[in-house]
Amino acid sequence: MTAHTWRNWSGTASAHPSRIARPHDEGEVVDLVRASVETGDTIRAVGAGHSFTPAAATEGTLVQLDALDRLEHIGPAAPDCSHLVTVGAGIRLHALCRVLAAHGLALENMGDIDRQSLAGAISTGTHGTGARLGGLATQVHGVRVVTADARVHDVGPDSPDGGAHLFELARLGLGTAGILTAITLRCVPAFMLTATEAPLPLRHVLESIVDLAAADHFEFYWFPGTDVALTKTNTRDGAAPPLAAARRLLEDEALANGVFEVTNRLATAVPALTPRLNRLAARALGARTYTAASHDVFTSPRRVRFAEMEYALPAEALVDALGEVDAWLRCSRENVPFPVEVRFAAGDEVWLSTAYGRPTAYVAVHQYHRLPYARYFRAVEAIMRGYDGRPHWGKLHRRRAADLAPAYPRFADAAAVRDRVDPSGVFANSYVDQVLGARTEPTTAR
């Protein structure tokens, strides 16, 4: 029996690896991979455990890359003033933002939390919101990856001899290309964001969604059973005053986390209270406008634990899909004290990106960690599949490679690269075999 236990942040996944390794440098990663190949064991890298799926799980060696977190290089400015920045793959996003800010730089776009490791975030398709911007993987311009031959490959989009294809799988492929040790990002000059947050009638938001989503960054939250959407519009280089520290503490910590934890516990204990609690939550945070550094506006503390499923839809399908979700919730009376989150992204060309080839709307459903989620998520997933939805690779879903392959025009190409660089499956686990296909169950893209 192993003495090691790993669990993810939400408690939805766990594993019992035979070994937990914490390499101090790239050479030690190479040695770990070589040893796993020689013994026939599996090896997986893990970041902060913020994926809701068992993407990092293994019964072999679990590699924590926290020590690979240093700034390696900042390249010269390009004509658009961006810089290529190389950092250790294990760096956490909040630490990366501080490093970049110290050099007058920033990430072009971010998700709404910053606890993940950079490698984990790009490998699972983490994204923010902004209809003209792609997910985090679109900002990646090079990687160093240790493959199953125990060699370090430094590859990018223009690498020869199959290197460009390896790059595509490595920058978003659930760690199936190998273990990332360094990542090169296109970073932009540091910028400020003005956040305008306001509760608006849900019907108005949906009727005006094309105009609202045209902002630099727009998202909204809708509590089931209410007719109110909490909207957030982030505009670049605005001029509003900063948010007072006391108000941010009250609203982002005391209300958004402390009080929200209490209301979720109440909803768990007394389900009949949930509709009233949702109406209260939808109106608890009033309108506010403030300006801060981009990374301080993009992200917020998330201390109330939950399970999550997220689907990427063609942007034009959003309103109809949300209408079906609303109808199911009202009919089923499912106990859901967490909001539905909606974000947007531009189409991109990253092989396994959920936004591949189409402007995308993301619909994320959440459930408090003390409440059951299976029936709710299953119903929403059925609705999303009806609109050609693609599930987030790092969030809960029930899809399999056979039905995911037709949704990704480059799925077969990704599978071919995986077979070439990891023929024995040293980087495999049951989850990646489920969603990308095991070697004995080849899939065919359309």
Side-chain angles (χ1 to χ4, degrees), residues 3 37 53 66 71 99 101 145 151-152 156 162 186 190 197 202 237 292 308 332 349-350 378 396 430 438 440:
V37 172
T53 66
D66 294 33
L71 172 66
V99 169
V145 56
R151 292 173 53 202
V152 179
R186 176 186 172 272
E197 301 174 8
L202 177 64
D237 299 317
E308 181 177 358
S332 69
E349 297 181 351
V350 180
R378 191 171 300 173
L396 297 171
S430 59
T440 56

Side-chain angles (χ1 to χ4, degrees), residues 282-301:
R283 292 170 172 80
L285 296 177
R288 65 180 186 177
T289 300
Y290 65 93
T291 296
S294 59
H295 59 272
D296 285 332
V297 176
F298 284 138
T299 64
S300 302

Side-chain angles (χ1 to χ4, degrees), residues 28-51:
E28 291 187 14
V29 175
V30 170
D31 291 340
L32 289 167
V33 171
R34 181 181 295 112
S36 292
V37 172
E38 290 174 351
T39 59
D41 291 331
T42 57
I43 183 169
R44 296 287 293 172
V46 65
H50 265 272
S51 289

Side-chain angles (χ1 to χ4, degrees), residues 44 122-124 168-177 352 432 436:
R44 296 287 293 172
I122 68 168
S123 295
T124 54
E168 286 295 342
L169 184 66
R171 71 166 162 171
L172 202 174
L174 291 168
T176 57
L352 294 179
V432 298
L436 298 181

Side-chain angles (χ1 to χ4, degrees), residues 285-353:
L285 296 177
R288 65 180 186 177
T289 300
Y290 65 93
T291 296
S294 59
H295 59 272
D296 285 332
V297 176
F298 284 138
T299 64
S300 302
R302 294 284 188 266
R303 310 201 197 286
V304 181
R305 294 185 186 261
F306 55 89
E308 181 177 358
M309 181 179 72
E310 183 175 54
Y311 259 81
L313 302 176
E316 65 273 13
L318 171 66
V319 174
D320 288 343
L322 273 185
E324 290 195 37
V325 172
D326 185 23
W328 184 86
L329 285 165
R330 292 179 185 276
C331 181
S332 69
R333 298 187 179 182
E334 189 79 358
N335 185 17
V336 182
F338 248 86
V340 175
E341 179 183 18
V342 177
R343 294 180 286 175
F344 301 88
D348 62 49
E349 297 181 351
V350 180
W351 284 3
L352 294 179
S353 167

Side-chain angles (χ1 to χ4, degrees), residues 93 97 110-116 232 248 252 290 294-302:
L93 292 181
C97 289
M110 293 184 68
D112 56 9
I113 61 171
D114 60 7
R115 301 294 101 180
Q116 312 103 309
K232 183 174 182 178
R248 167 158 276 187
D252 291 353
Y290 65 93
S294 59
H295 59 272
D296 285 332
V297 176
F298 284 138
T299 64
S300 302
R302 294 284 188 266

